[in-house]
Amino acid sequence: MQCFQLVTDLKPKGDQPKAIRQLLEGLRKGYRFQTLIGITGSGKSLPPEERVLIGVEKDGYIYPQLVPIGELVDEILAEARPLLTNWGDEIVFSDKLSKRYFAFAFDPVTKRSGWRPIKAFHRHPSPDTLYRVRTACGREVIVTGDHNLWVLRDGQFCLLPTKEIKDGDYIPLPLSLPSPQKPLKYISTASYLRAEKVYAKVPLEAVASLPLSREKRWRVHHGEGVPLSVIPDELMGQVTLCGKQHSLSAHVQLNEDWLSLIGVYIAEGHATPRYVIISIRNPIWRRKVERCLRRLGFTFRHRPDGDIQISMMLLSRLLKQWCGRTSKEKHLPPFWMSLSNRQLSQMLAAYFAGDGSVGAEGVYCVTVSHRLADDLLWALLRFGIWARVRRRIVKKPSGKLSCCWEIKVTGRENLERFANAIGFAFSSKQRRLKELLHRYRKRPTNTNVDVIPIAGLSFQDARKRLGFTQKAIAQEMNVAPSFISLIEHRKRYPSRTTWKRLVNALRSYLLSEHPDISLLRSWRSLLNCRWTRIAAIEPVKPTSKWVYDLSVEDWETFIAGFGGLFVHNTFTIANVIAQWNRPTLIICHNKTLAAQLCAELRQLFPNNAVEYFVSFYDYYQPEAYIPQTDTYIEKDCDINDEIDRLRHAATQAVSTRRDVIVVATVSCIYGLGSPELYQEMTLTLERGKLYDLRWVLHKLVDLYFARNDYELERGTFRLRGDVLEVRPAYEEMVYRIEFFGDEVDSITVIDPLTGEVLERKDKVVIYPASHYVCTRERLERALKSIEQELQEQLEKFRREGKLLEAQRLEQRVRYDLELLRETGYCKGIENYSRHFDGRKPGEPPYTLIDYFPKDFLLIIDESHQTVPQLRAMYEGEMSRKRNLVEFGWRLPSAYDHRPLKFEEFLERINQCIFMSATPGEWELSVSEQVVEQIVRPTGFA
């Protein structure tokens, strides 16, 4: 008997061994329903100082924030009562919180980035060793060793633990970061100065409500200020902050002058306890800054060394709170993530006017503040600018060595974005930037800055499969043929611009000439993010006793670290599958989650059949009728050929072996052909046996294979002399059967592209090219049954006086009957499936579940979302078909091509495990055992 083989060096730990043991005991006792409560997507543990990009929902908007993960989770744990585990882990589920939190996450299928809800917040005891992951562009993040990262290695996108990542792997970066949906108009200066010894003038009518002594109230009435710390928030909008000689509004309008002042201060400023110093040597730039200060109403003077001094204690304290006091403490203001792109660009333009420069290859700036370097990388990414950073050791005038960070914006695309979105607030630097861009436009694009790290051999195979020579593909990419050779030999990678040109050029060809567009979709997805190479991974000691996680819905990733990197509970259920050793069906609530889960299980079970079964429609417009407007909508769809192959591979695997896992969506409960007929109508050929070749060809046609002597596509065959080649609907390979007379002389499996012999076989079983197969006898019985139903329905319509409906129905059905007699097929043949299957009216259709043996194991992932989908499928289909039947577009038998009712679905379940972090009431009520697993997983998302 075939057995599951779980291939991994990882061992269950934490609550996992107990959960695995309890689930297996429940299966052995015959429990029909069990629930596994676990947190999927955990395992991306970070130390507390690592910053994460999150969003907080307010008034229907998501407001981005960049916060240390430890500060965020500690605050949430203090707000809500956490769930404690035996291993010291603390967890808070998001549904227990007053706010909705989102993480900026990465979709591993489309490679796009976006906001996804955070499901839970975690705090775990820190391991003895953490790992710093550093990239070639200078970004870095510290994570645990069992942490997961999505990496592109040799053209394959895979999820790997930190310890398995190596130099040369590429990890994704977002093309840009989200910006607020509306600008930040005002900022509360008072909220940042509450901890300082600051006084404020308040309206006299509000003095009585303040907690002041009688003597203090008298002094306030005579012009003295009130301590800011005693003024409630509701009065802050009415007060003015006051110093000995200057005042400042408690709420300032963030106009261009304020934003420019902040940028200048970060670049050139320094705060003392009583005044602000701005060091500017260029007279033109100094005059521009002075005009900005005058418009803001700030008085200043020039020091003997030429520096500008603003003697205003309130401003000094405010800027210190916002941006730091000295150059080593500098950072962008805490509210910078709430600035619109226009506001942020005004602040950065002033900063780069002071600290930035234009070099031979790009724009540069240097800072001794690690925090500021990090802020600038994040801020530039808001505009789609991929900056690089490197750490430098420089010698100070005193002779001492100092560490600094150099940020570089290079590459034509990045510089164009910088010039258009930010630029310099200083005209001479802006002029030099334009000159640099002018030189860039005259020369070829720099291919070393932003590349697409494709696998050379995969690219070569795809090129040959599409029938392109190196010269032809080079013309499409606008490069030399020698460059294509370098790509295929892994000596160069194409730039983003070059790759985009190729994808756009091939799009029309692939759509019109090549029905399988999965290749185009895969190539195009590589453009949805940037790729940065892993430069180093090194162990580091933890600085805290805690590490922190976020559980993110669906995509299970979030962006964190220095400059921003994407960082990532399947392992328990994989152990259950391996030890229970039964065919397994896993149902997920969407294609993306199913694809991710399927990829993970294929890594865990490389020697077993792990298949993917989802809807094969890229586009689907169902047949419908709207009686109010007398509008008939014909069915229209676009079938994904690769997914159709995977569906056939799933049914073939379930029919032939027991070590099979099928990951499916709820489409698995929709009508499919009869499994008995599918398994009966096979063609078996054995080496050394005699077969009439003409009978073999007729048999292939009966199995819905088409003859094609020119291009051997899926579901086709060709005959050349005594050599028969068949390409099954469920395989990427071709079976070559060589006859000697009527004897099968040899059976080989060959590569359809190269013709290379991959395997020699003594026997081959060929399954039908369609799930809806039918013998001639069954077809004749079905035609008679359809004819009988048609007569009954016509009589019904005529009795009710529905002559138009009767005429419409007779015309349509008789046309379909004629096509079925002549070709065995008609458009909308699925609506007659009840007649072909020999089912009675109302009897449920065959589905993928019927292909499984009776002892199969069902796992419903994210059951709180999947079970409601399973319940709703039937009614959604029936509401559409009622109008089609009642108004004469379809026979009543169309009702029987449908999804299973939920009750029918339950009847087909042998044993089922629900998996969810938040299972629904129904799952818990029917479960004979509820198993809790509240731990950090062992390295698989």
Side-chain angles (χ1 to χ4, degrees), residues 667-683:
S667 63
C668 69
I669 69 167
Y670 214 99
L672 205 61
S674 165
E676 290 81 8
L677 199 58
Y678 182 81
Q679 294 169 17
E680 287 173 8
M681 290 190 66
T682 58
L683 172 61

Side-chain angles (χ1 to χ4, degrees), residues 28 127 210 307 327 374 455 497 631 671 770 801 836 847-848 855 873:
R28 294 188 188 104
L210 299 177
D307 291 349
S327 57
D374 186 22
T497 303
T631 303
S770 171
F836 289 101
T847 65
L848 175 66
D855 64 344
M873 289 281 284

Side-chain angles (χ1 to χ4, degrees), residues 304-324:
D305 58 3
D307 291 349
I308 299 173
Q309 177 178 318
I310 311 169
S311 299
M312 184 174 176
M313 184 187 66
L314 288 175
L315 182 64
S316 175
R317 293 182 178 182
L318 182 64
L319 291 176
K320 183 188 74 170
Q321 290 291 331
W322 277 354
C323 308

Side-chain angles (χ1 to χ4, degrees), residues 373-389:
D374 186 22
D375 282 347
L376 290 172
L377 291 175
W378 287 92
L380 290 170
L381 202 53
R382 275 268 294 267
F383 303 95
I385 299 169
W386 181 21
R388 295 165 177 263
V389 62

Side-chain angles (χ1 to χ4, degrees), residues 189-190 193 198-201 228 236 239-243 246-250 314 318:
T189 57
L193 295 174
V198 174
Y199 292 85
K201 293 287 183 69
L228 192 62
M236 282 299 181
V239 307
T240 301
L241 308 183
C242 57
H246 305 89
S247 62
L248 185 67
S249 173
L314 288 175
L318 182 64

Side-chain angles (χ1 to χ4, degrees), residues 468-735:
F468 282 92
T469 63
Q470 284 190 350
K471 183 177 180 180
I473 208 80
Q475 289 177 343
E476 299 292 352
M477 298 175 72
N478 195 25
V479 296
S482 59
F483 185 74
I484 303 300
S485 180
L486 291 174
I487 292 176
E488 294 179 352
H489 288 84
R490 299 180 61 187
K491 294 182 178 179
R492 289 289 295 274
Y493 290 129
S495 69
R496 174 175 299 276
T497 303
T498 304
W499 190 251
K500 187 184 298 184
R501 192 181 299 126
L502 170 66
V503 170
N504 290 337
L506 293 186
R507 184 175 184 275
S508 57
Y509 168 78
L510 289 169
L511 292 177
S512 60
E513 303 294 335
H514 205 274
D516 181 9
I517 63 170
S518 60
L519 177 66
L520 174 66
R521 191 178 293 110
S522 174
W523 282 5
R524 188 165 52 190
S525 72
L526 296 176
L527 294 167
N528 294 334
C529 64
R530 300 188 191 277
W531 300 97
T532 183
R533 182 174 56 82
I534 296 289
I537 301 174
E538 57 187 14
V540 295
K541 289 293 181 182
T543 58
S544 168
K545 66 176 183 178
W546 300 108
V547 288
Y548 299 83
D549 295 344
L550 304 178
S551 285
V552 182
E553 186 175 289
D554 294 338
W555 297 347
E556 314 297 2
T557 59
F558 57 84
I559 190 168
F562 177 70
L565 295 173
F566 281 117
V567 297
H568 191 251
N569 165 356
T570 303
F571 194 56
T572 296
I573 210 65
N575 277 272
V576 172
I577 292 171
Q579 295 182 47
W580 187 237
N581 201 33
R582 301 285 195 280
T584 302
L585 172 63
I586 303 176
I587 304 180
C588 306
H589 66 275
N590 64 49
K591 288 183 177 182
T592 300
L593 183 61
Q596 180 179 331
L597 187 57
C598 184
E600 294 164 9
L601 289 171
R602 281 175 176 168
Q603 290 181 356
L604 293 171
F605 296 99
N607 302 319
N608 306 111
V610 180
E611 305 296 344
Y612 183 62
F613 190 97
V614 301
S615 171
F616 52 27
Y617 295 118
D618 282 336
Y619 163 76
Y620 181 62
Q621 169 61 60
E623 183 182 32
Y625 177 66
I626 305 172
Q628 292 85 349
T629 58
D630 191 26
T631 303
Y632 172 71
I633 302 172
E634 192 172 8
K635 175 183 173 182
D636 186 21
C637 63
D638 182 13
I639 293 177
N640 186 309
D641 192 61
E642 176 62 16
I643 293 182
D644 186 38
R645 181 188 71 78
L646 294 172
R647 286 167 61 95
H648 278 280
T651 51
Q652 188 267 346
V654 172
S655 302
T656 58
R657 55 196 298 177
R658 287 184 60 81
D659 62 327
V660 59
I661 302 170
V662 178
V663 184
T665 57
V666 293
S667 63
C668 69
I669 69 167
Y670 214 99
L672 205 61
S674 165
E676 290 81 8
L677 199 58
Y678 182 81
Q679 294 169 17
E680 287 173 8
M681 290 190 66
T682 58
L683 172 61
T684 303
L685 299 174
E686 295 186 51
R687 189 167 65 88
K689 289 194 174 183
L690 300 178
Y691 301 90
D692 184 348
L693 185 55
R694 286 178 296 179
W695 175 85
V696 172
L697 299 181
H698 282 295
K699 183 68 174 176
L700 286 170
V701 172
D702 289 342
L703 297 182
Y704 288 77
F705 282 83
R707 182 165 181 170
N708 189 333
D709 289 334
Y710 299 99
E711 185 176 2
L712 204 58
E713 299 174 339
R714 286 192 323 103
T716 63
F717 68 91
R718 68 185 174 200
L719 181 66
R720 293 177 174 174
D722 288 338
V723 178
L724 174 65
E725 293 181 337
V726 182
R727 187 168 184 180
Y730 47 85
E731 291 277 7
E732 293 184 292
M733 301 300 114
V734 172
Y735 294 134

